[in-house]
Amino acid sequence: MAKILIKNIKSLLQVGEDFPAYVAGSAMKTVPAIDDAFLALEDGVIVAYGPMSEWGGITDWRDLEIIDAEGCFVFPAFCDAHTHTVFAASREEEFVDRINGLSYEEIALKGGGILNSAGKLAGMSEDQLFEEALVRIQRMKTYGTGALEIKSGYGLSVDAELKMLRVIKRLKTEAGIVIKATFLGAHAFPKAYKEDHEAYIKLIVDEMLPKIAEENLADYIDVFCERNYFSVEEMTRILQAGKAHGLTPKVHVNQFSILGGVKAAVECGALSVDHLEECDEADIAALKDSGCMPTLLPGCSHFLSIPFGNARGMMDAGLPVALASDFNPGSTPCDNLGMIFSLGCVKMKMTPEEALNALTINAAYAMGLSNTHGTISLGKTTPVILTKKIPSLAYIPYAFGDVHVDRLIGGN
Ligand code: NIG
Ligand code: FE
């Protein structure tokens, strides 16, 4: 049995029992903490914690690894509830096009964007996609990511979507981190179906979904609901078909325009609605007490120079907020959640405590991991982040661009 004791922790954060499934509104301002604390893990399970003054429960010292965390913080690993970690190639040529004045939408309309990635992925083997994604995931762990969601959506054909999902399935067993798989066949209409949306939707519903269900390749279903992509009505039909195969909706909505997709997704029982760079009063009303997590992606806003999600307005209206990376080669080539933490604080006016809640308990909820991740509670199996020696929690988003994570500990 691997037993680990972390002692002399400067402050143990997001710790306790009886947490709600997520925190919303003004409750996001608080993070429960124990100063000068210890934490014990056994085979990756959290078995004890408390102030150092109460440390006395360890009776069996055999094979016990002791870590001295003096001057360091410990808190649950970040959960990255929205990523596109499996892809074939970077797209920095589009980045340069944008510097020279083209918009993301203009680049997509001339054949770049998602279709560019799909073209490159078609020719890459399952093994190579797997190996490259594995390297990315190992890097994410060094930034404190302890669970992640990965989407398909650069396949856009039956074979290539299945190939992506099989890679994700393999990563689930071999990457040493909890992963959730999301089917995003409805990421864009392939060129051949530009004028025949019905035929592509039929391919998704009649061919992709049954095979995905048969091989148990996905947990969630996603649709990119946006002008020039999928309409609200098309999204609704695809989500309903996914639900019939046991997949819960988690969707891309309101990145560039408000089409009514938030309300429709909530009505479909979506676990999360992601992006929301654009968001109006009706969207906020639809989300209120819905159990659907608004998941904001400040890395995308930063990189595409589009508005940042209105986290402040959402929290002031009593909503919960989660933050995620949206790591992908087109709109967000950054998988460092420490950077997302900082962008949430600097650009969205979230306090460090609000951002930490958004990256832990609320992000765990947004990927169906409330029972295991997001908080330090007895019996949970989340890895924990051991920080370097830092003066405060606020120092993490303050000293942006640096990595304040020493390492992840535990997890199973
Ligand atoms: O979440 N908006 C849709 N999908 C991705 C971008 C995909 C791409 O450009 O490759 C996103 O930003
Ligand atoms: Fe995305």
Side-chain angles (χ1 to χ4, degrees), residues 23-270:
V23 282
S26 58
M28 286 187 70
K29 292 183 193 305
T30 310
V31 171
I34 303 173
D35 292 339
D36 193 20
F38 76 92
L39 173 68
L41 302 146
E42 218 167 286
D43 282 338
V45 181
I46 293 164
V47 292
Y49 58 78
M52 284 301 286
S53 57
E54 289 174 18
W55 169 35
I58 310 287
T59 50
D60 183 356
W61 291 83
R62 280 168 300 177
D63 304 321
L64 181 66
E65 182 190 349
I66 300 178
I67 297 167
D68 194 336
E70 202 179 327
C72 309
F73 287 69
V74 172
F75 48 85
F78 301 134
C79 295
D80 200 341
H82 182 137
T83 86
H84 307 252
T85 300
V86 175
F87 57 86
S90 59
R91 301 206 320 249
E92 62 275 16
E93 65 285 357
E94 296 178 6
F95 167 62
V96 176
D97 285 346
R98 275 200 308 283
I99 292 171
N100 287 320
L102 290 183
S103 71
Y104 180 84
E105 282 175 292
E106 285 164 341
I107 291 165
L109 287 172
K110 71 180 184 92
I114 295 162
L115 296 185
N116 177 359
S117 279
K120 288 174 173 155
L121 186 130
M124 195 176 261
S125 73
E126 212 171 292
D127 281 346
Q128 196 177 347
L129 282 169
F130 170 81
E131 293 301 337
E132 293 189 9
L134 198 59
V135 171
R136 295 175 193 134
I137 293 171
Q138 300 313 339
R139 184 180 60 219
M140 289 173 178
K141 290 182 193 173
T142 69
Y143 298 138
T145 301
L148 81 152
E149 181 258 20
I150 308 178
K151 301 173 191 299
S152 68
Y154 291 132
L156 310 182
S157 69
V158 178
D159 285 351
E161 281 297 309
L162 291 174
K163 175 166 73 175
M164 285 192 80
L165 289 168
R166 288 184 189 124
V167 169
I168 301 170
K169 190 171 186 177
R170 216 173 128 194
L171 291 166
K172 280 186 178 191
T173 57
E174 295 182 43
I177 184 170
V178 171
I179 293 173
K180 294 282 186 168
T182 300
F183 169 53
L184 178 54
H187 200 186
F189 285 99
K191 215 166 176 190
Y193 295 91
K194 266 275 168 284
E195 306 306 325
D196 192 357
H197 286 193
E198 283 312 306
Y200 187 60
I201 293 170
K202 201 165 161 18
L203 199 68
I204 291 174
V205 172
D206 294 347
E207 296 197 41
M208 296 185 194
L209 276 169
K211 292 207 175 72
I212 288 163
E214 196 183 299
E215 282 186 51
N216 195 16
L217 289 174
D219 305 292
Y220 299 110
I221 179 153
D222 194 347
V223 174
F224 184 18
C225 181
E226 187 55 65
R227 67 175 175 240
N228 298 325
Y229 293 85
F230 291 78
S231 69
V232 174
E233 186 269 334
E234 289 167 343
M235 172 187 77
T236 304
R237 280 160 52 206
I238 295 164
L239 295 183
Q240 295 298 1
K243 280 172 70 173
H245 287 285
L247 307 182
T248 299
K250 250 174 95 62
V251 297
H252 284 74
V253 276
N254 289 31
Q255 183 174 3
F256 301 107
S257 50
I258 298 176
L259 305 176
V262 171
K263 186 160 182 279
V266 168
E267 285 168 0
C268 285

Side-chain angles (χ1 to χ4, degrees), residues 25 29 311-319 354:
K29 292 183 193 305
R312 214 34 300 136
M314 290 177 193
M315 293 185 296
D316 289 348
L319 298 187
E354 287 169 338

Side-chain angles (χ1 to χ4, degrees), residues 78-81 140 143-147 323-326 334-343 359 396:
F78 301 134
C79 295
D80 200 341
M140 289 173 178
Y143 298 138
T145 301
L323 290 173
S325 73
D326 195 19
C334 170
D335 54 11
N336 177 347
L337 286 179
M339 192 67 201
I340 300 305
F341 196 154
S342 194
L343 287 172
L359 285 164
I396 297 175

